[in-house]
Amino acid sequence: MNDAAATSPEPLSSEHAQKIRDRLDAVAGQAAEAAERSGRTADDVRIMLATKTQPVEKIRVAIEHGFTLIGENRVQELTGKADGLADLEHETHLIGPLQRNKVNHTLRVDSCTCIESVDNLPLAEKLHNRLEVLDRSIDILVQVNTSREDSKFGTAPEAAAELIESLACFDRLRIRGLMTIGLPGESDEVIRPSYADLRQLRDRLIDDGTLPADATELSMGMSADFALAIEEGATIVRIGSSVFGARPPAGSPA
């Protein structure tokens, strides 16, 4: 990986840093309002910073402002930014697809506390075997393709129960809930169903004992539609562009 995505040549200006803080506060307010509409409170929803290609300097501003959950799409970026964030208390989730040949590399990073993109048995087995060697465990979310788009990763909703049952033998993997990437659309009516479907699936799988009773996490919703996702039960939403601005291209100075 080009280290330019993980570091920038100069510290952020105070004006730029304040813009990030102001945007974070605005997002938090919108999330709280959406949570209230769903009969919950702001404390029931965690804002995850989607930090793909964002430099460490921007991420540090957000963490220091109290937004301590970050999500990385790529193993290389997760690894490359770890040292630059090591002095700050935070939690990092891997939210992008994970190839089996990257498993060993990922699990060298202690700050990777959850892998949200587990969607097949061979990957789960590789993860479990590596964790056995390291004598540690990790939280996971099962990714479900509720939008049913061919371009999206995730197990089909009708196959989720069988996959989760198969994961039960891997005691190093702690299932905390489900994740989905919503269906893009221009109206609430188009976007909302893929989020409602994940909530309903989680509830069914908990009711029938397939999911543990405490596996209630629903990671869904991004900058453009996180309020809808929260209204449908999201417990984690990933926010990137609405806080940091447009993503810098990979490998370019930020």
Side-chain angles (χ1 to χ4, degrees), residues 142 164 175 177-178 201-202 205-215:
V142 174
I164 292 167
I175 302 176
L178 307 177
L201 177 63
R202 178 205 59 186
L205 294 177
I206 288 177
D207 287 345
D208 68 17
T210 302
L211 271 176
D214 61 353

Side-chain angles (χ1 to χ4, degrees), residues 82-252:
D83 287 346
L85 302 174
D87 61 315
L88 298 177
E89 186 172 346
H90 68 286
E91 182 179 349
T92 302
H93 290 195
L94 182 67
I95 57 179
L98 175 60
Q99 299 172 346
R100 278 176 282 165
N101 63 3
K102 297 289 181 67
V103 165
N104 292 356
H105 196 31
T106 302
L107 294 179
R108 293 192 189 111
V109 182
D110 290 339
S111 61
C112 182
T113 51
C114 180
I115 298 174
E116 295 198 5
S117 49
V118 175
D119 64 358
N120 65 83
L121 195 58
L123 171 61
E125 183 175 13
K126 185 73 178 287
L127 280 169
H128 180 266
N129 290 344
R130 179 59 179 163
L131 290 163
E132 283 279 339
V133 172
L134 298 175
D135 191 25
R136 59 172 292 204
S137 300
I138 200 166
D139 291 346
I140 66 166
L141 302 183
V142 174
Q143 183 172 355
V144 183
N145 185 1
T146 56
S147 67
R148 299 183 182 275
E149 295 173 274
D150 292 340
S151 61
K152 297 278 179 67
F153 290 90
T155 187
E158 61 271 17
E162 182 178 357
L163 174 59
I164 292 167
E165 288 170 352
S166 298
L167 297 179
C169 64
F170 300 136
D171 58 0
R172 298 284 180 171
L173 306 179
R174 299 182 298 249
I175 302 176
R176 298 306 191 193
L178 307 177
M179 182 269 270
T180 197
I181 305 295
L183 183 69
E186 296 182 357
S187 69
D188 293 1
E189 291 75 15
V190 171
I191 298 169
R192 191 183 295 274
S194 61
Y195 295 143
D197 287 350
L198 193 72
R199 170 179 46 80
Q200 292 163 6
L201 177 63
R202 178 205 59 186
D203 293 348
R204 288 198 304 270
L205 294 177
I206 288 177
D207 287 345
D208 68 17
T210 302
L211 271 176
D214 61 353
T216 56
E217 296 283 16
L218 291 178
S219 180
M220 56 188 192
M222 296 185 282
S223 288
D225 60 13
F226 71 90
L228 280 179
I230 292 172
E231 289 172 6
E232 291 300 333
T235 63
I236 299 172
V237 292
R238 56 183 73 176
I239 307 298
S241 59
S242 61
V243 167
F244 297 118
R247 269 187 204 142
S252 68

Side-chain angles (χ1 to χ4, degrees), residues 31-32 34-35 38 40-47 226 230 233-237:
S38 71
R40 297 179 295 155
T41 70
D43 291 339
D44 295 320
V45 181
R46 302 178 72 191
I47 294 172
F226 71 90
I230 292 172
T235 63
I236 299 172
V237 292

